[in-house]
């Protein structure tokens, strides 16, 4: 099948809050192409329940938001980055409001002076979480999509995977290395196509699909992290994988998360006998940061031999519950639970990748012309543990920052000349797709068992040996057979799993989301874990 070529000013890989926000900022002056692996709404943004953090209350302050984030990050956040994001939070969230995101307002609010209903979540000392009931991500994603559709200069291509970045070094062009575009997989044509662009932006989200149990959608397979690493970019802090403490425990409830805002509004965590346990672990009880809460739940489950713990908000007024958590209330009813009357069974699940591709405050990676924004990136905001509702905030602030930087440099950048087409003349179609499925399931299971909430050196070493074998098997498969969606994702997941384990093995302490029984204490001097490729860009 003939190779198809696309040309644009900016190629955005990913269609969540980060990618669409950046595309909208650039649309007035640039031709933008946005790739979406599936339907454009099928990403982590759409499923975000809680909200977005910003200082809108007069009793709150930017300094307090910074302090809370630094505390949650357990000592290794980049303080200048935290300040940069907190200082620009209100303006960037206001941009979402102006774009039509319907954040909840207080009942006595009016159109002239809108007063937003602010909730509180774990780690926050004030109510500063703007939300749209309990479906904030869906509201943000829907608003951004509607605005994107009005711009003729933005072309969203659904069912297209990015396969690999194209750089000057990769295709043998002399001179300073730079990204030139990407090879992409058209899932409908089942063909590899080429994109030429002045700039490429990775907005691919995280890598929680590397774990057996996750709150994330299927598209969260670490694609951007793996592609950037193969292109020679540094990565950092991939040992810090956040496990959301409260996902519904039910055999048919795949990926259903129970927002932290429930605990912010007074929900308790209980043992099977009904007793609370969080006060035994932390003075902040249910409002402790996620790493503390997830470890406490994991500890109690193992100590008691229990399949789950319970989340209980039934002591609150039923009308209050159904008003503030309508989506969760309705969803739970489909599984036979009544949020207003009973405690709900929960377990932790992989939720957020705190590390990623290293970027500066413009979102630019080590590779000229390549940017990374949102969960795919390591900005320094989250440190050893992401504070609730800082993720959507990071997306919109860095989308704005990267768009400004791209705009400033667009006039001097050129769309590269014709690039080499993808050569698949020496490969054939596979009749052994079962190999991919088997390796995929094996990877996710041992990552859950060996690189989960509690780790050890022996478990990490065991995981690394298995990853090396699976990588060898998968790379051989990749070399001989035509690409497919599952093969591309497995290849990327294995690469990111290796980076996660290598970061975890390098950290000889327990801090934030990384807890190892061999090094249970914090080191006196600590910072980010940075990995450099053998062939840096």
């Amino acid at each position: 099948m003939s190779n198809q070529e696309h040309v644009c000013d900016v190629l955005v890989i990913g269609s969540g809050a980060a990618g669409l926000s950046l595309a909208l900022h650039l649309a007035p002056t640039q031709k933008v192409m946005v790739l979406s692996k599936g339907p454009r709404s099928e990403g982590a943004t759409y499923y975000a329940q809680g909200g977005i953090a910003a200082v809108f209350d007069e009793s709150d302050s930017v300094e307090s938001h910074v302090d809370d984030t630094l505390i949650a990050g357990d000592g290794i956040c980049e303080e200048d980055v935290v300040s940069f994001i907190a200082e620009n939070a209100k303006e960037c969230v206001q941009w979402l409001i102006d774009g039509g995101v319907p954040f909840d307002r207080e009942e006595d609010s009016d159109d002239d002076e809108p007063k937003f209903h602010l909730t509180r979540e774990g780690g926050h000392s004030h109510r500063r979480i703007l939300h749209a009931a309990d479906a904030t991500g869906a509201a943000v994603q829907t608003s951004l999509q509607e605005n994107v559709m009005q711009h003729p200069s933005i072309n969203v291509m659904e069912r297209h995977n990015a396969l690999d970045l194209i750089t000057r070094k990769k295709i043998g062009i002399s001179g300073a290395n730079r990204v030139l575009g990407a090879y992409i997989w058209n899932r409908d044509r089942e063909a590899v196509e080429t994109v030429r662009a002045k700039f490429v932006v990775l907005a691919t989200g995280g890598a929680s699909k590397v774990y057996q149990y996750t709150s994330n959608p299927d598209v969260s397979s670490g694609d951007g992290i793996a592609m950037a690493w193969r292109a020679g970019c540094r990565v950092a802090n991939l040992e810090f994988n956040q496990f959301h403490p409260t996902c519904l425990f039910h055999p048919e409830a795949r990926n259903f998360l129970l927002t932290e805002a429930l605990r912010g509004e007074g929900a308790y965590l209980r043992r099977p006998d009904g007793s609370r346990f969080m006060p035994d672990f932390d003075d902040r009880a249910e409002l402790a940061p996620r790493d503390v809460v997830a470890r406490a739940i994991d500890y109690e489950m193992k100590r008691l031999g229990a399949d789950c713990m319970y989340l209980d908000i039934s002591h609150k007024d039923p009308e209050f519950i159904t008003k503030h958590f309508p989506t969760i209330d309705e969803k739970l009813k489909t599984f036979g639970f009544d949020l207003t009357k009973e405690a709900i069974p929960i377990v932790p699940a992989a939720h957020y990748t705190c590390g990623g591709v290293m970027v500066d405050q413009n979102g630019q990676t080590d590779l000229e012309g390549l940017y990374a924004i949102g969960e795919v990136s390591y900005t320094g905001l989250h440190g050893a543990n992401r504070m609730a509702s800082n993720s959507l905030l990071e997306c919109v602030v860095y989308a704005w920052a990267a768009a400004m930087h791209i705009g400033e440099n667009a006039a001097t950048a050129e769309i590269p000349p014709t690039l080499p087409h993808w050569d698949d003349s020496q490969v054939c179609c596979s009749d052994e797709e079962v190999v991919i499925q088997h390796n995929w399931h094996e990877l996710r299971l041992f990552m859950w068992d060996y690189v989960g909430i509690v780790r050890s050196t022996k478990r990490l070493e065991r995981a690394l040996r298995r990853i090396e074998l699976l990588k060898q098997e998968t790379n051989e498969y990749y070399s001989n057979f035509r690409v497919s969606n599952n093969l591309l994702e497995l290849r990327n997941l294995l690469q990111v799993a290796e980076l996660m384990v290598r970061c975890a093995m390098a950290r000889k302490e327990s801090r934030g989301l990384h807890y190892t029984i061999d090094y249970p204490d914090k080191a006196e001097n600590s910072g980010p874990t940075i990995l450099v490729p053998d062939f840096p860009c």
Side-chain angles (χ1 to χ4, degrees):
M1 188 175 291
S2 61
N3 186 288
Q4 188 169 332
E5 187 175 75
H6 309 273
V7 180
C8 60
D9 294 315
V10 183
L11 171 63
V12 181
I13 304 174
S15 60
L20 294 186
S21 294
L22 178 131
L24 285 167
H25 284 302
L26 290 174
T29 60
Q30 307 295 317
K31 181 182 177 183
V32 183
M33 177 181 291
V34 179
L35 296 189
S36 179
K37 283 170 66 173
R40 66 189 70 187
S41 63
E42 185 62 18
T45 295
Y46 187 83
Y47 296 96
Q49 294 174 347
I52 183 167
V55 175
F56 274 74
D57 191 322
E58 292 180 359
S59 66
D60 196 3
S61 68
V62 169
E63 291 74 21
S64 179
H65 189 180
V66 170
D67 289 343
D68 291 345
T69 301
L70 294 175
I71 291 168
D74 208 1
I76 60 168
C77 297
E78 304 284 350
E79 190 166 353
D80 59 333
V81 170
V82 177
S83 296
F84 170 73
I85 291 175
E87 288 165 0
N88 288 287
K90 186 172 184 179
E91 181 180 351
C92 289
V93 172
Q94 186 64 51
W95 177 80
L96 289 176
I97 295 167
D98 295 341
V101 178
F103 291 116
D104 285 4
R105 299 184 181 186
E106 297 284 4
E107 291 183 358
D108 59 354
S109 181
D110 57 50
D111 291 334
D112 294 330
E113 291 188 30
K115 187 177 181 182
F116 294 100
H117 180 272
L118 304 174
T119 190
R120 184 182 171 195
E121 295 181 345
H124 291 273
S125 59
H126 291 77
R127 285 181 172 266
R128 65 169 69 98
I129 314 301
L130 288 88
H131 63 101
D134 58 350
T136 307
V140 170
Q141 183 73 23
T142 300
S143 174
L144 291 173
Q145 286 177 184
E146 290 174 351
N147 292 330
V148 161
M149 290 174 65
Q150 297 175 20
H151 277 280
S153 56
I154 302 176
N155 177 22
V156 180
M157 299 177 64
E158 296 180 313
R159 293 181 56 80
H160 283 74
N161 297 48
L163 195 155
D164 256 327
L165 300 169
I166 305 172
T167 66
R168 292 172 66 95
K169 181 185 287 188
K170 181 172 183 175
I171 62 175
I173 299 177
S174 60
N177 198 20
R178 179 183 177 86
V179 70
L180 304 174
Y183 292 117
I184 65 174
W185 169 248
N186 184 326
R187 293 167 68 174
D188 292 327
R189 292 181 66 232
E190 294 191 352
V192 177
E193 300 171 355
T194 307
V195 181
R196 292 188 282 136
K198 294 179 182 178
F199 303 96
V200 177
V201 182
L202 300 173
T204 53
S208 287
K209 196 177 175 182
V210 78
Y211 287 104
Q212 181 78 358
Y213 304 106
T214 174
S215 66
N216 283 197
D218 283 344
V219 294
S220 301
S221 53
D223 302 334
I225 298 170
M227 286 189 292
W229 175 260
R230 290 195 292 265
C233 296
R234 293 172 300 161
V235 299
N237 276 18
L238 285 168
E239 70 271 36
F240 297 119
N241 302 290
Q242 187 175 77
F243 291 79
H244 196 288
T246 54
C247 283
L248 177 62
F249 179 70
H250 189 280
E252 298 175 12
R254 185 170 173 268
N255 299 348
F256 189 62
L257 180 151
L258 298 174
T259 175
E260 191 159 331
L262 283 159
R263 285 178 281 134
E265 294 296 345
Y268 297 137
L269 284 164
R270 301 187 186 277
R271 300 181 181 95
D273 65 3
S275 61
R276 288 178 66 193
F277 58 89
M278 278 311 303
D280 300 339
F281 290 87
D282 196 283
D283 291 340
R284 293 162 290 186
E286 280 81 5
L287 288 177
R290 288 178 178 176
D291 61 322
V292 176
V293 179
R295 273 200 304 277
I297 294 171
D298 182 71
Y299 177 85
E300 287 295 305
M301 287 171 59
K302 289 175 178 174
R303 183 179 72 86
L304 297 172
D307 291 330
C308 63
M309 292 291 114
Y310 292 84
L311 184 69
D312 185 11
I313 198 172
S314 62
H315 51 279
K316 302 285 283 189
D317 179 65
E319 185 177 345
F320 172 87
I321 295 171
T322 55
K323 176 183 177 182
H324 287 280
F325 305 103
T327 307
I328 292 173
D329 180 55
E330 288 300 316
K331 184 71 171 181
L332 288 175
K333 286 177 180 175
T334 67
F335 295 111
F337 298 114
D338 189 335
L339 189 63
T340 67
K341 295 180 179 179
E342 62 187 318
I344 308 301
I346 53 89
V347 290
H351 182 61
Y352 193 87
T353 308
C354 288
V357 184
M358 293 190 72
V359 297
D360 62 18
Q361 282 192 20
N362 298 311
Q364 188 163 247
T365 71
D366 296 331
L367 180 60
E368 185 70 24
L370 179 67
Y371 295 75
I373 56 175
E375 191 176 351
V376 67
S377 67
Y378 166 79
T379 63
L381 172 64
H382 306 304
N385 179 35
R386 176 180 72 86
M387 189 166 70
S389 291
N390 269 351
S391 54
L392 285 177
L393 177 62
E394 183 184 45
C395 286
V396 294
V397 172
Y398 267 78
W400 162 74
M404 295 306 103
H405 194 256
I406 289 171
E408 291 167 2
N409 291 277
T412 57
E414 296 181 356
I415 294 176
T418 300
L419 300 173
H421 289 176
W422 182 260
D423 182 8
D424 59 2
S425 60
Q426 303 301 310
V427 300
C428 61
C429 293
S430 171
D431 58 358
E432 292 290 338
E433 187 79 8
V434 67
V435 173
I436 299 174
Q437 294 297 328
H438 181 275
N439 288 356
W440 197 342
H441 292 313
E442 182 179 350
L443 168 69
R444 298 179 73 194
L445 183 59
F446 71 65
M447 284 295 290
W448 181 264
D449 289 339
Y450 302 151
V451 200
I453 295 173
V454 177
R455 303 160 180 179
S456 71
T457 301
K458 184 179 291 185
R459 291 173 190 170
L460 294 174
E461 290 172 345
R462 189 175 293 136
L464 189 60
R465 286 196 297 272
R466 292 301 306 141
I467 290 167
E468 289 170 350
L469 287 172
L470 290 181
K471 276 188 71 177
Q472 182 179 346
E473 210 170 271
T474 302
N475 287 338
E476 181 179 340
Y477 192 102
Y478 181 79
S479 301
N480 290 298
F481 299 108
R482 296 189 189 281
V483 298
S484 66
N485 182 64
N486 287 343
L487 175 57
L488 293 177
E489 290 190 339
L490 174 62
R491 179 180 179 235
N492 290 334
L493 282 170
L494 282 166
Q495 181 60 77
V496 176
E498 178 192 346
L499 298 174
M500 287 178 175
V501 173
R502 286 175 56 187
C503 281
M505 293 177 74
R507 186 167 291 280
K508 308 297 185 184
E509 63 165 348
S510 289
R511 183 180 296 270
L513 299 165
H514 173 72
Y515 184 84
T516 169
I517 59 176
D518 294 313
Y519 302 95
D521 300 319
K522 292 181 187 178
E524 288 188 13
N525 298 308
S526 188
T529 305
I530 299 173
L531 299 182
V532 181
D534 293 335
F535 303 99
C537 55

